[in-house]
Each structure stands twice: as C-alpha cells, then as structure tokens.
Amino acid sequence: MVSPISTGAVGFAPLAPPTVWQGWDAFVHRAPASARDVTDGAWSQAEREDYHSELAVMRTPAMDSVFTAVRRLLLVNRRQQAGARRGLIISGPATTGKTTTMMALGRSFQLADARQHPGHTERRPVLFISVPPAATPKMLVSEFARFLGMPVTDRLNQTQITGAVCDLLCELGTQLVLIDDVHLLDTQRRAGAETSDQLKHLGERIPATFVYSAIDVETSSLLSGVRGAQIAGRFKIFRHRPLAYATEQDRAVWDDLVGAMEDLLRLRAHRPGTLVKHASYLHARTGGRIGSLSHLIREAALIALTEGTERITKQLLGEVELDAAAEDQARPVRRKQ
C-alpha cells in the first residue's frame, strides 16, 4: 500500500500565487523564516521543514545590475507623457534566476513606495503577471484584471477590459509592471502577434515602466520582424547568465553565494564550511544556475531533516536529482564520483 504524501504541517493551506494581489502583497511583506538557533527545540519538525523549503533568496551581482538599470529607467520614464516608455527585458537560460530577480525587484520597489506613501494601503505600485500559454490579447489583459481582483465576465470584450484595467492602474499609482514568460508569445502566429501588439498598447496607456522576463529572448520570435524592431527599439536587454567559475573573481562571487546559503541552514549536525569546501563541485553540478543551486541545497537539507541525519554531505548532494538542464551539465562530474 502506498503511503499518502504528507504536507508536513497540520492545516496546511497553499499560499496565493504572486500573480494575484493578495499573493503578491503577502510575498512582499512576508518576513523570512527566523534564523534563530533551533538547538533549543523551540521549532517543530514542520516549522523546520518549512524554513528550509523557503530558504531566503540571496542577492547576486545580476540582481544588483537589474535593480540599477530599472532605477534609471524609472527616472527616464517619470515625466514622459506620450508613447511607450523605455523598458527592460531580463533574458537568459532557464533556472538562472530571472523570475527570482524580477520578483525581488518588485518587492524592493513596493517596500520603498510604502515608505514614501505611509498609510496609503490602496496603492498598487507593482503589478506582476505571467504570460499564459497560447495567449490572446483578451487572455493577457484578463491576467492584469485578475491581479487587481477585477471581475471579468464573458460579456466584457477585450476593449472594455483593457480600458477598465488601464484606468484602474492609473488610479492606483502603478509604476512598475512585471511580466514573466514573454517568450511564450509566438509572434509568427496571429494570436501571438496580436498579443504582442496588446502589450505595446498597454505600455502606451499605463504610465509605468515595463520589465519582461524571457528564456533566451534573442532567439525567440518576439524580436523578429516589424513588431520585434519596435520592441528592440524600446527595451534594453539584460542577459541573465549562469554564474561563471573561471576567474578568481568569479570563484569569489560563487563561494560567497554558497557560504551565505550555508549560513542559513539550521541543521543540528551540519559541519559549517562543508558546502563552501565543495563550492567547485556545486558549480559543476548546477552549471552556475542559481535556481538549480537553491533546489539542490534545499532538497538536501530537507532529506537531512526527514531522515534524521541533520547534516549535508557531498554524498547526499550527489544523491539529489536536479532539473534536466543541470543533470546534463553535471553528467561528467557525477561519473567521476
């Protein structure tokens, strides 16, 4: 008989996704799990599992570069009254931390906005959505409406929804629009081309800075043809590459990242410095991809908790299966183990 999968917590309730305001606002204001010492037994097993499942996101040089680029764009766009404003596309391979960087950007901006406008809880300074698969213009703008909690009925057409969304975003003081997965727009197909046009229209109607995230946007259809030329003429591209490990500076950045993540671990028998000692191996296993590194450390920590060993070893790291991209990258390394 197969045992049922446990959530590890009594009364577990899934968090609302960040693509709706309640979920986004909760993400922005949710304090990271406490880093207090757990050897006093104050945490339950479920609390310790939740802590390692979440494990705080570390700042990287790529994040700092994106934050700086967007701050400058916000200044450039501040007084522009007509036409589409300048924007940024975060592009790179999968699992390099593009969505994480975008969400961290939005969180930082919203917290800064709250400090500038204390007590104005009705403001919505940031909007975050993801492009749905096979999106049409109406589907896309309906995602905007869903984030805002606006009711959308079948009787409303695309033009009506678009007008209502743009008017409300202006009223709510939205200044930063974050759109994930824009590589899903296939502009060689009619629906994708029309949805790309809808994005351009929204950028002209909403007085905000738009930031897109995409997997390798340079090779997608989004930047091809006349429509692509318009996007390329209005958006900078930030290439979010995997972290390298070739130079001394590269290694210092990676080692610091691994060390910062290791410092967050709350495993009773873990030997401090173990992960930093194996930083080169961790880079080889993950190909320098932040998402893969986070997955590897978090899953290893959870295995150590659930199996009672309370420590991460190189052997345990080697037992964790990662995403296909990371496994392909690490196959020669794993053969040497």
Side-chain angles (χ1 to χ4, degrees), residues 18-19 24 88-104 126-133 135 140 143-144 147 176-185 195 199 210-217 222 235 240:
T19 50
W24 173 260
L88 182 74
I89 302 175
I90 305 171
S91 175
T95 72
T96 52
K98 298 180 299 300
T99 301
T100 299
T101 294
M102 177 182 278
M103 292 179 67
V126 178
L127 179 142
F128 175 80
I129 68 161
S130 181
V131 173
L140 179 72
E143 288 297 304
F144 279 64
F147 180 90
L176 189 62
V177 175
L178 309 175
I179 303 180
D180 201 13
D181 291 335
V182 295
H183 58 271
L184 294 177
L185 294 177
T195 306
L199 270 179
F210 280 60
V211 178
Y212 299 163
S213 172
I215 294 176
D216 297 331
V217 72
L222 194 68
F235 281 78
H240 205 294

Side-chain angles (χ1 to χ4, degrees), residues 69-78 86-88 209 236:
V70 173
R71 278 197 299 267
R72 293 172 178 172
L73 287 173
L74 286 162
L75 289 172
V76 168
N77 292 335
R78 180 186 290 174
R86 300 294 168 174
L88 182 74
T209 296
K236 296 182 179 182

Side-chain angles (χ1 to χ4, degrees), residues 1 14 88 105 145 180 200 203 212 244 281 286-287 297 332:
M1 180 178 178
L88 182 74
L105 168 69
D180 201 13
K200 176 178 176 292
Y212 299 163
Y281 165 78
T286 63
I297 293 177

Side-chain angles (χ1 to χ4, degrees), residues 110-181:
Q110 183 166 320
L111 291 174
D113 185 86
R115 290 191 294 270
Q116 293 172 4
H117 303 90
H120 291 242
T121 56
E122 76 285 354
R123 287 178 63 82
R124 301 289 185 266
V126 178
L127 179 142
F128 175 80
I129 68 161
S130 181
V131 173
T136 64
K138 185 175 180 180
M139 288 168 62
L140 179 72
V141 77
S142 294
E143 288 297 304
F144 279 64
R146 188 169 74 95
F147 180 90
L148 296 168
M150 295 173 58
V152 175
T153 66
D154 293 338
R155 290 178 296 177
L156 295 175
N157 60 37
Q158 172 192 326
T159 302
Q160 291 170 321
I161 300 171
T162 300
V165 162
C166 292
D167 290 345
L168 184 56
L169 288 175
C170 291
E171 292 176 15
L172 296 175
T174 303
Q175 299 173 63
L176 189 62
V177 175
L178 309 175
I179 303 180
D180 201 13
D181 291 335

Side-chain angles (χ1 to χ4, degrees), residues 32-59:
S34 171
R36 59 181 171 167
D37 188 358
V38 298
T39 57
D40 60 3
W43 278 4
S44 68
Q45 178 75 1
E47 287 173 326
R48 299 178 71 215
E49 290 171 2
D50 285 348
Y51 171 80
H52 288 91
S53 177
E54 183 177 3
L55 215 58
V57 174
M58 311 308 301
R59 285 286 288 267

